[in-house]
């Protein structure tokens, strides 16, 4: 936000404070899980008290970036507006996951307002904005070109994604009409995702003629757009119609899609952003040890796709044996064993990839050695 | 371009309004579809226990949650009350082989609340989910389906598939008669005092008959 508006963040102290609150809440929650301290709902396991602390951190954050934005509104861009919209939506949706609701169906009705309206609503807005920001920054393609479709994408994400929540309201005690509404609207959800892919490809192709400095950031960005499309657009679409979802709901196919989409849309994007930002902070050249960066990129993506495919096969076998043939759940699980072993191998390789990535990122983040030795700031070369 | 944008923004706003309208209607319809009037204090206590022990971490319910353990949406209607009570009290005792559920050392009142909760869950109108199997379960003798549903196969094998903890039943029909088998189902200790097999006396009479008919047919 600050970089887009070419200004400083409203309050760095507030940002620090928020970081500490969030870190404390996060670490407490994860340590708590080890002692079975849990709210007991999937994905939203944090006990209510921790959720409230998270809300406080979110309010501080919103206040801080809103103030940054409003004090510089003359330079407000589409990218910042989209980011702000996504942030507000994200925070509001989270509230629906907090209370204990006696009726399980109703509890899950609101739960999807967090889970679905995050990944197929608020986060898509944030991602669209961050991708636009990185493309402008890293490719040198004009803002006018990069931002051209942003608002249309945002509108389409919301238009399809909001009623698209209905693809989770087929079987949880909700009325039958969701089988129609959920199917139609969620089936259109890949449209804005395809637009984002076209955006990224177009800008990356344009940038070929421009002098490019940060190829790593761009590689992750382009790959992210593609895997986002595959994981969310193709894998998601594949199970979104009720005729199919009736058989695949809550199986390893769901897990295959969840991993593919999350990794492509948000995991890889976060990594792309780190590659985009770190050299600027540390003053290092963005492309140093190419072999290490390449190894991290390949091992992470290869193992993730390996696992996603294993889960897809496991899921198809599971649906056939369990849902079609009527074999008992645990007996089916024993037939899936080999695919879980493949997943284990993929997971080990993924862990290695994480190590390589961290190594590469810390290398980029380390300040120029001279500064570290002398303990005084060295003029940072402009990128 | 401007007109397109205006159309899109308007369409988005309209879709949000439609969604809110459908939400209001859904919440109203869900009261009957979930029999909300039957959500007693005990059902709520059961839900709190379900969340307290983080059951959803391993199990799915309504198809949502962990994929490590079976979906429990219809557990009550498939297994029946007595089976569930015994199982929750001591999962390893009634289901000794394979992937095991931890024993939470629940008190009787807690088991009761969980069972009442699962009964309420099993009555939610889920638009026909999970689907009825189309395959072998349909063509097989009723007794074999009960055999599988009651997990007899975790301990006993038939024709090469099943557990090894208890005797192979592939030819049981040529060794025992129907009365003997019924007695064994009702009270395993009537034949062997230290039998570890749980009693299935709680099964409906038709199920016991079906099971016994099937087993005597295995010559
Ligand atoms: C980046 C975007 C997306 C992410 C991160 C994502 C992630 C996930 C995750 C984690 C789940 C599992 C939820 C659970 O535990 O039950 C899920 C379920 C589902 N997703 Fe997505 N998703 C995305 C986009 C999409 C899109 C665009 C579609 C449709 C075109 C879609 C269709 C579905 C469906 C139908 C389910 C339910 C599966 C079931 O019934 O078990 N998703 N998604
Ligand atoms: C290759 C490395 C990974 C391995 C081996 C792995 C393994 C697993 C396992 C065992 C589960 C539990 C599934 C169940 O309930 O039975 C799971 C769930 C999940 N993981 Fe991963 N994971 C990996 C990487 C990731 C990454 C990088 C992300 C996010 C970008 C992610 C997001 C998720 C999500 C959202 C779920 C819940 C899925 C659902 O409910 O459908 N995982 N993963
Ligand atoms: Fe969704």
């Amino acid at each position: 936000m600050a970089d887009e508006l070419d200004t400083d963040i409203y309050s760095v102290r507030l940002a620090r404070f928020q970081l500490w609150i969030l870190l404390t809440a996060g670490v407490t929650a994860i340590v708590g899980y080890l002692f079975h301290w849990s709210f007991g709902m999937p994905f939203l396991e944090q006990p209510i008290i921790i959720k409230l602390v998270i809300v406080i951190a979110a309010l501080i954050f919103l206040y801080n970036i809103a103030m940054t934005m409003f004090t510089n509104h003359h330079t407000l861009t589409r990218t910042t507006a989209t980011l702000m919209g996504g942030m507000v939506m994200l925070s509001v949706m989270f509230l629906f996951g907090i209370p204990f609701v006696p009726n399980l169906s109703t509890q899950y009705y609101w739960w999807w307002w967090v889970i679905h309206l995050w990944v197929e609503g608020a986060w898509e807005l944030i991602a669209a904005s961050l991708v636009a920001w990185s493309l402008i920054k890293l490719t040198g393609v004009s803002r006018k070109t990069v931002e051209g479709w942003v608002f249309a994408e945002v509108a389409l994400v919301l238009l399809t994604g909001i009623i698209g929540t209905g693809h989770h309201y087929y079987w949880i005690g909700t009325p039958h009409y969701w089988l129609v509404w959920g199917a139609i609207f969620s089936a259109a959800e890949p449209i804005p995702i395809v637009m984002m892919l076209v955006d990224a490809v177009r800008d990356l192709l344009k940038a070929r003629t421009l002098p490019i400095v940060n190829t790593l950031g761009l590689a992750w960005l382009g790959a992210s757009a593609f895997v986002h499309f595959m994981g969310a657009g193709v894998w998601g679409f594949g199970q979104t119609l009720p005729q199919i979802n009736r058989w695949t709901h809550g199986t390893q196919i769901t897990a295959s899609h969840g991993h593919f989409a999350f990794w492509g849309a948000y995991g890889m994007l976060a990594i792309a952003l780190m590659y985009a930002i770190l050299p600027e902070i540390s003053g290092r050249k963005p492309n140093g040890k190419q072999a290490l960066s390449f190894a991290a990129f390949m091992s992470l993506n290869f193992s993730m796709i390996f696992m996603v495919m294993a889960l897809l096969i496991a899921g198809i076998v599971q649906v056939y044996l369990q849902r079609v043939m009527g074999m008992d759940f645990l007996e089916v699980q024993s037939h899936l064993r080999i695919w879980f072993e493949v997943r284990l191998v993929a997971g080990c390789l993924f862990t290695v990839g994480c190590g390589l990535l961290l190594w590469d990122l810390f290398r980029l983040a380390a300040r120029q050695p001279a500064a570290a030795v002398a303990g005084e700031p060295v003029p940072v070369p402009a990128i | 371009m401007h007109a397109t944008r205006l159309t899109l923004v308007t369409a988005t706003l309209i879709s949000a309004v439609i969604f809110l309208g459908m939400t209001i209607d859904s919440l109203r319809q869900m009261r009957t579809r979930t029999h909300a009037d039957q959500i007693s204090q005990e059902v709520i206590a059961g839900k709190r226990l379900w969340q307290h022990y983080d059951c959803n971490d391993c199990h799915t319910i309504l198809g949502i949650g962990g994929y490590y353990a079976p979906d429990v949406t219809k557990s009550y209607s498939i297994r029946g009350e007595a089976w569930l009570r015994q199982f929750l009290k001591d999962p390893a005792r009634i289901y000794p082989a394979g992937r095991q559920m931890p024993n939470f050392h629940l008190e009787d009142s807690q088991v009761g609340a969980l069972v009442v909760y699962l009964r309420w869950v099993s009555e939610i109108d889920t638009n026909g989910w999970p689907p009825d199997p189309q395959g072998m379960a349909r063509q097989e003798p009723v007794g074999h389906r009960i055999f599988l549903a009651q997990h007899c196969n975790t301990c006993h094998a038939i024709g090469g598939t099943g557990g090894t903890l208890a005797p192979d039943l592939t030819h049981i029909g040529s060794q025992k008669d129907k009365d003997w088998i019924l007695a064994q189902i009702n009270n395993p200790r009537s034949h062997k005092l230290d039998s570890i097999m749980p009693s299935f006396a709680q099964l409906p009479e038709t199920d016991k008959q079906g099971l016994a008919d099937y087993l005597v047919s295995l010559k």
Side-chain angles (χ1 to χ4, degrees), chain A residues 112 116 119-120 164-165 167-168 189:
Chain A
W112 283 115
H116 170 96
V119 301
E120 289 154 75
T165 315
H167 66 181
H168 305 292
E189 280 180 34

Side-chain angles (χ1 to χ4, degrees), chain A residues 233-262:
Chain A
V234 180
W235 259 235
F237 181 80
Q239 52 172 347
T240 206
L241 300 179
Q243 294 86 341
I244 295 170
N245 191 267
R246 181 156 187 256
W247 301 95
T248 61
H249 176 50
T251 61
Q252 299 298 327
I253 293 183
T254 313
S256 178
H257 155 67
H259 280 94
F260 214 9
F262 250 110

Side-chain angles (χ1 to χ4, degrees), chain A residues 332-371:
Chain A
V332 174
Q333 293 292 305
S334 64
H335 291 290
L336 302 184
R337 206 191 149 98
I338 176 78
W339 302 109
F340 293 143
E341 283 163 3
V342 171
R343 166 192 255 193
L344 182 65
V345 173
C348 293
L349 183 58
F350 193 85
T351 312
V352 173
C354 287
L356 295 176
L357 179 74
L358 281 178
W359 182 8
D360 201 32
L361 289 175
F362 274 111
R363 176 186 66 74
L364 272 178
R367 290 200 178 272
Q368 299 285 19

Side-chain angles (χ1 to χ4, degrees), chain B residues 103-156:
Chain B
N103 187 337
F104 294 106
H105 304 287
L106 303 169
E107 288 164 22
D108 286 339
S109 62
Q110 294 180 312
V111 170
L114 280 166
V115 170
V116 171
Y117 174 61
L118 289 177
R119 180 175 69 202
W120 173 78
V121 170
S122 73
E123 284 160 3
I124 295 174
D125 180 349
T126 55
N127 288 328
W129 190 89
D132 274 338
Q134 311 277 300
M136 51 190 201
R138 205 168 258 183
Q139 298 139 21
E140 275 171 0
V142 191
H144 189 237
R145 240 184 295 158
I146 301 165
F147 186 83
L148 293 178
Q150 295 301 328
H151 286 304
C152 310
N153 62 325
T154 46
C155 298
H156 296 280

